[in-house]
Amino acid sequence: MAIGRSTRRGKGSQAAGAAAEPPEEVTDTGATTAADADGAVDQLVYGLDDRPPLPAALLAAVQHLLAIFVGIVTPTLILAGPLGLDAATTTYLVSMSLVVSGVATFIQVRRFGPVGSGLLSIQGTSFAFLGPLGAAGAALGGGTAALGTLFGMTFVGSFLQMALSRVMHLLKRVITPIVTGTVVTLIGLSLIGSGMTDAAGGAAAEDFGSLRNLGLAGLVLATIVLVNRASNRFLRMSAIVIGLVVGYVVAAVMGMVDLSGVGDAPVFSVPIPFRYGFDFDLALFIPIAFIFLISAVETTGDLTATSMVSGQPVKGPTYIRRIKGGVLGDGVNSALAAVLNSFPNTTFSQNNGVIQLTGMASRFVGMILAGMLVLVGLFPIIPAVVTAIPRPVLGGATIVLFGTVAAAGIKIISTSDDKLDRRDVLILAVSLALGLGVRLVPDALSGLPTTAATIFSSPITTGGLAALVLNLVLPRSDGTHGMRPREGGGATA
């Protein structure tokens, strides 16, 4: 339901239910037209620069919070398992993820000089880095001792993304939908094993694979699927939250929830820069650097969709400035995240649906949301409760999330300018085969030097590099390489 009344063009309240479904992820900026943006303006109650009444803005901010809360805290919860982190450390990292998300959102929304898009674009912990970070943490032996190296590598990698923000128009000529889609698909497929492990109870569970664990995970998964098919758009966007809450309650009734850590949680979480030290490993850094490259392109798609639903230009100098500022903001915010002991941040696409749901694209809402995230993070009672989520409950949700990531990669591939031809199918086939191959048979690399084996053991690195190289060297039927130039010029960003 739309909130409040409009001061734009003399229009009153409009039902957000009349708005179109949330736009598909845009990876090719040429696919979104000025007509689409004009149509989005007609759906808005409050535009980007409007200042809605405080009650309406607070309600809209809460809806954004519900849409992103699980997405922000889940990556940390997932990594805590293979890293073997205790409850106190996990609670602190979850708190910091919320604090960083709030500060990063404020930077992205408010825009400081060239940093930030100036749109209602919410920042949160990125799922894309889970595979490389989990593998790196395992190689480092896990525990808090590994965190200093993980944060050190993401800190260095964030500067790569900052540099890429200045050459997005060139990057998109190389990182095409077939490359991006292949990498995103591999990210999702490589993480499904982690989701299944949690669904069975977690790697260290004594009752691993028990009917109780699998049944609880199945309940969460079924709840998410059923709610996602509801006719109410707000319910659909809250499907993951509802599934986790249902699973949490049932698990508590079954005696599977340990809340002892809640009473031990401190009253206030103090952000301590580089609390776990700072270190760097070049071999482990390569896969992480590659994800920063892909993340920069994906952010372009997210911001294009946000511009469209906010009634802002999707081409021209203002649009280009927003894209470059948004990608630069991702890099700056990821560096900030590393300093404050959290994992890389990126733009969240699900908030575009909330903008349409509420009819409010005002950046004022984003600033309120940023304050909410910081407050929730600084007082760790809620993070402590979240940390107590049983592994089967988390696994039931992450199976859906990771499967959705893989499906999104396939969707990105389908957005290519041309239908998939033999060349594209060959790139996809070879890249997926190599990426999944090193994941399924890691010993196949045992004869390589240690550094090379470490680098190419990542399915994202092996499959992504294969897609990138093949896309550059294999000619199209018209003799060109990579992406075909658009009529009247190249990429717009």
Side-chain angles (χ1 to χ4, degrees):
M1 181 175 65
I3 302 172
R5 294 187 60 84
S6 171
T7 57
R8 297 171 58 82
R9 303 183 181 181
K11 293 183 180 179
S13 298
Q14 299 181 13
E21 286 294 311
E24 297 181 352
E25 184 176 2
V26 180
T27 57
D28 181 357
T29 57
T32 308
T33 66
D36 295 325
D38 291 339
V41 173
D42 294 335
Q43 302 287 352
L44 291 178
V45 180
Y46 292 99
L48 183 64
D49 297 313
D50 293 335
R51 190 181 182 94
L54 184 58
L58 284 170
L59 182 56
V62 169
Q63 293 184 66
H64 278 283
L65 180 63
L66 291 174
I68 64 173
F69 185 84
V70 172
I72 293 173
V73 303
T74 300
T76 300
L77 294 176
I78 293 170
L79 286 172
L83 290 178
L85 302 179
D86 59 32
T89 301
T90 304
T91 297
Y92 181 78
L93 295 182
V94 169
S95 293
M96 291 304 100
S97 70
L98 291 165
V99 171
V100 168
S101 181
V103 176
T105 295
F106 186 80
I107 293 173
Q108 189 72 262
V109 171
R110 174 64 176 78
R111 187 179 175 92
F112 292 87
V115 181
S117 65
L119 297 167
L120 180 50
S121 182
I122 312 304
Q123 296 276 133
T125 313
S126 174
F127 276 84
F129 292 86
L130 285 180
L133 288 175
L140 293 166
T144 56
L147 291 176
T149 304
L150 295 183
F151 293 138
M153 291 188 292
T154 56
F155 180 78
V156 174
S158 66
F159 288 91
L160 172 62
Q161 191 167 22
M162 294 181 209
L164 292 174
S165 71
R166 304 297 90 186
V167 292
M168 287 304 299
H169 59 294
L170 300 176
L171 186 62
K172 291 192 67 183
R173 306 294 297 167
V174 178
I175 309 296
T176 62
I178 191 68
V179 176
T180 305
T182 298
V183 172
V184 173
T185 301
L186 283 169
I187 290 172
L189 294 177
S190 64
L191 289 172
I192 288 175
S194 173
M196 285 299 297
T197 299
D198 282 339
E206 295 181 359
D207 60 345
F208 184 85
S210 67
L211 184 60
R212 182 177 72 160
N213 290 338
L214 295 178
L216 185 57
L219 172 65
V220 174
L221 191 154
T223 302
I224 292 171
V225 171
L226 290 175
V227 174
N228 191 261
R229 300 306 302 162
S231 58
N232 184 286
R233 296 176 65 203
F234 182 69
L235 278 178
R236 292 201 303 271
M237 288 188 294
S238 304
I240 298 292
V241 176
I242 293 172
L244 287 172
V245 170
V246 169
Y248 202 114
V249 172
V250 172
V253 173
M254 297 171 64
M256 297 175 63
V257 177
D258 180 9
L259 294 176
S260 59
V262 176
D264 297 332
V267 177
F268 189 80
S269 287
V270 180
I272 303 174
F274 292 120
R275 176 173 180 172
Y276 303 100
F278 184 98
D279 206 345
F280 185 82
D281 187 299
L282 180 59
L284 297 175
F285 173 70
I286 301 300
I288 295 172
F290 195 77
I291 297 300
F292 272 110
L293 183 71
I294 298 300
S295 180
V297 178
E298 286 191 305
T299 295
T300 300
D302 289 341
L303 293 176
T304 299
T306 305
S307 293
M308 185 187 73
V309 299
S310 302
Q312 295 299 305
V314 290
K315 60 181 180 179
T318 298
Y319 166 73
I320 294 173
R321 185 175 68 252
R322 291 195 191 283
I323 294 298
K324 291 186 174 181
V327 176
L328 179 59
D330 265 15
V332 170
N333 291 330
S334 292
L336 176 65
V339 172
L340 296 181
N341 314 291
S342 188
F343 301 107
N345 268 231
T346 189
T347 53
F348 272 23
S349 59
Q350 55 262 52
N351 294 93
N352 294 327
V354 182
I355 291 174
Q356 288 191 315
L357 178 73
T358 62
M360 301 175 70
S362 170
R363 61 168 60 94
F364 180 61
V365 173
M367 295 178 188
I368 293 177
L369 173 62
M372 288 180 175
L373 288 167
V374 171
L375 285 176
V376 172
L378 289 177
F379 297 95
I381 296 299
I382 292 179
V385 173
V386 170
T387 301
I389 293 178
R391 285 283 150 183
V393 175
L394 187 63
T398 54
I399 287 174
V400 179
L401 289 172
F402 297 153
T404 302
V405 171
I410 297 172
K411 188 175 180 180
I412 291 171
I413 295 171
S414 70
T415 66
S416 182
D417 287 344
D418 306 297
K419 293 182 178 179
L420 290 179
D421 54 19
R422 288 184 301 164
R423 171 187 179 274
D424 292 335
V425 171
L426 180 62
I427 293 173
L428 180 60
V430 173
S431 303
L432 288 179
L434 291 176
L436 292 177
V438 298
R439 175 73 173 184
L440 297 172
V441 191
D443 290 341
L445 305 177
S446 59
L448 296 179
T450 302
T451 300
T454 300
I455 293 173
F456 291 106
S457 64
S458 165
I460 297 164
T461 302
T462 299
L465 286 177
L468 179 61
V469 172
L470 290 174
N471 188 55
L472 290 174
V473 302
L474 291 183
R476 291 186 178 272
S477 57
D478 60 1
T480 62
H481 297 71
M483 180 185 285
R484 288 176 177 170
R486 288 189 169 277
E487 294 181 7
T492 57

